[in-house]
Amino acid sequence: MELIRQKILKIHGTVAIIVGTLFSISSTIGMSSGIGPLGMLQENKLGHVGLMQAYMLFALIGVVLIMGSRQENVKKWNRIGALAHALILIVYLIHWNFFPTLENGEFMRMGGVVFHLIFLTTETWAGFISK
């Protein structure tokens, strides 16, 4: 069972690093040029500041999860992975009606919710439910 938990953490960490990095780049392109899915950031520099912090912290969480996969008692690291996604989903709930006001906002909202629910469910199973 411990090997499965470790594998989940490694996959989750790798995805978090990749996604965090790609969204950091995408938000910077949007802020700089006004193009792409985050092009609205050109008119909202403060939004870019917040997103860059969030995306880079998400990548850092990925590094932490990979490091945690190499520790004893990896179950606690699965819990951290689950809680990271739970916190992000709380933000989605708070701003649920904001997403449709953006271009492709419905797609961004549903894609984000599905992405975070998948990892929340997987890490919850590995960290809290499985024996």
Side-chain angles (χ1 to χ4, degrees), residues 66-81:
I66 291 172
M67 291 172 61
S69 74
R70 299 179 182 137
Q71 305 294 315
E72 291 183 35
N73 187 18
V74 297
K75 202 170 188 178
K76 64 184 169 191
W77 298 102
N78 294 113
R79 292 173 182 164
I80 289 172

Side-chain angles (χ1 to χ4, degrees), residues 12-81:
H12 189 184
T14 301
V15 170
I17 292 168
I18 292 168
V19 170
T21 301
L22 290 177
F23 273 93
S24 292
I25 292 167
S26 178
S27 68
T28 301
I29 290 170
M31 185 270 307
S32 301
S33 66
I35 61 172
L38 297 170
M40 79 289 206
L41 294 175
Q42 190 173 40
E43 298 172 12
N44 186 351
K45 304 284 192 228
L46 184 59
H48 179 253
V49 170
L51 286 175
M52 279 295 291
Q53 290 174 352
Y55 294 144
M56 289 191 289
L57 284 171
F58 194 67
L60 179 60
I61 288 170
V63 172
V64 169
L65 295 179
I66 291 172
M67 291 172 61
S69 74
R70 299 179 182 137
Q71 305 294 315
E72 291 183 35
N73 187 18
V74 297
K75 202 170 188 178
K76 64 184 169 191
W77 298 102
N78 294 113
R79 292 173 182 164
I80 289 172

